[in-house]
Amino acid sequence: MEKISFTDLFNEGTIIKFTPNDLINKSNNDIQEFKKKLQLFEEQNPVIADFDVKNLSALINNETFFDLQYYTDSSWLEYFIQKYKIDASKLEDLMALAIRQEDFNAVKILVKHGYIISKKDLVNAADTENEAQEKLKENKTDGYESYIAGNSRINLISSFLRQRYDTNKIQDPDGYTNLRKDKSTASEVIQKVKSGDFIEVLDNSGDWFLVKTKDGKEGYIYRNRIKSA
């Protein structure tokens, strides 16, 4: 059987404007050929252990430069996150890329699937905004480095991220959760934080988030105790 890789489906030379639903509803040759490859890929990679989450970086678009060589409808990013039940803890690098490439649809999809916005994401967005302003000052009209202001989404992304960041809160069936000194349930408890309290997420890497409470105390809280409205 022919071995199908993710790059056989999506690569830098591919423009895919059809959606997963179109595989059912449309029957042109390109779509049907893609459907066959997708079926083979999924048969060869049936579970998350077979799937490299880094593949999804190919589904993050960048439409801010004039000579874009590839594009994939964002519904495919959501398709694979759902297909392989990819945990939000594995989406950090994808979020960083989506912000840098100003893919607003991708940012919203990642948040929809449980990604919690941290201070790092806000800093990344601010840096991207500054870089965009510098590109606009250069005022290039051709060549790869020409930045299309009309396609820029970084202001929308920054506003969206800030809004989500400001809704991060504790949600625990016990009515409170423990703020700990280190990343361990055996670590010293610094403070008990009530469910519903806003929590400032400083770093969302791994299973334990570095956070700051409304009282200004910093420590670690297990990630599934933090939700965003």
Side-chain angles (χ1 to χ4, degrees), residues 15-80:
I15 294 180
I16 296 179
K17 294 186 178 181
F18 56 83
T19 71
N21 287 336
D22 290 334
L23 300 189
I24 301 170
N25 301 324
K26 296 185 179 180
S27 59
N28 72 53
N29 290 338
D30 288 343
I31 290 178
Q32 291 309 306
E33 182 63 27
F34 180 91
K35 183 177 180 179
K36 291 177 184 176
K37 288 183 179 180
L38 177 63
Q39 289 173 336
L40 280 175
F41 177 83
E42 292 179 347
E43 288 170 6
Q44 294 166 2
N45 303 275
V47 296
I48 182 60
D50 303 316
F51 186 79
D52 187 351
V53 177
K54 292 179 181 178
N55 285 331
L56 298 181
S57 62
L59 307 182
I60 307 297
N61 292 306
N62 184 347
E63 299 178 81
T64 59
F65 290 98
F66 91 101
D67 60 349
L68 180 72
Q69 299 298 314
Y70 66 94
Y71 172 85
T72 302
D73 190 280
S74 295
S75 58
W76 286 105
L77 175 62
E78 185 158 32
Y79 174 87
F80 285 103

Side-chain angles (χ1 to χ4, degrees), residues 56-181:
L56 298 181
S57 62
L59 307 182
I60 307 297
N61 292 306
N62 184 347
E63 299 178 81
T64 59
F65 290 98
F66 91 101
D67 60 349
L68 180 72
Q69 299 298 314
Y70 66 94
Y71 172 85
T72 302
D73 190 280
S74 295
S75 58
W76 286 105
L77 175 62
E78 185 158 32
Y79 174 87
F80 285 103
I81 290 174
Q82 292 175 328
K83 169 71 179 178
Y84 289 102
K85 298 180 173 62
I86 297 171
D87 192 271
S89 64
K90 300 182 183 298
L91 301 177
E92 184 181 357
D93 289 344
L94 286 173
M95 178 59 82
L97 182 61
I99 294 170
R100 289 198 304 273
Q101 295 189 179
E102 302 189 39
D103 189 340
F104 191 22
N105 286 332
V107 168
K108 290 185 287 187
I109 287 169
L110 297 175
V111 168
K112 176 182 175 181
H113 289 278
Y115 185 89
I116 300 295
I117 303 303
S118 77
K119 194 85 169 194
K120 290 194 310 179
D121 300 311
L122 300 185
V123 170
N124 188 8
D127 289 344
T128 302
E129 279 190 279
N130 291 335
E131 290 168 6
Q133 291 302 316
E134 290 302 314
K135 293 186 182 93
L136 290 174
K137 287 177 184 178
E138 293 174 3
N139 196 31
K140 293 185 177 179
T141 57
D142 56 26
Y144 178 72
E145 294 300 325
S146 113
Y147 185 82
I148 303 176
N151 287 357
S152 177
R153 296 293 180 269
I154 190 56
N155 291 338
L156 291 173
I157 290 171
S158 293
S159 177
F160 176 77
L161 295 179
R162 169 54 70 177
Q163 180 184 37
R164 301 298 299 198
Y165 181 81
D166 288 341
T167 62
N168 289 339
K169 62 184 179 181
I170 298 300
Q171 184 173 311
D172 194 303
D174 293 332
Y176 69 90
T177 196
N178 292 319
L179 178 73
R180 295 187 180 274
K181 185 175 181 180

Side-chain angles (χ1 to χ4, degrees), residues 202-221:
L202 305 179
D203 190 330
N204 58 1
S205 302
D207 288 335
W208 290 86
F209 288 2
L210 176 62
V211 303
K212 180 189 289 187
T213 69
K214 62 182 181 181
D215 301 323
K217 294 181 179 178
E218 293 188 17
Y220 294 91
I221 289 178

Side-chain angles (χ1 to χ4, degrees), residues 2-10 37 41 44-45 55:
E2 178 188 4
K3 180 68 175 177
I4 300 293
S5 69
F6 199 77
T7 54
D8 290 324
L9 297 168
F10 306 95
K37 288 183 179 180
F41 177 83
Q44 294 166 2
N45 303 275
N55 285 331

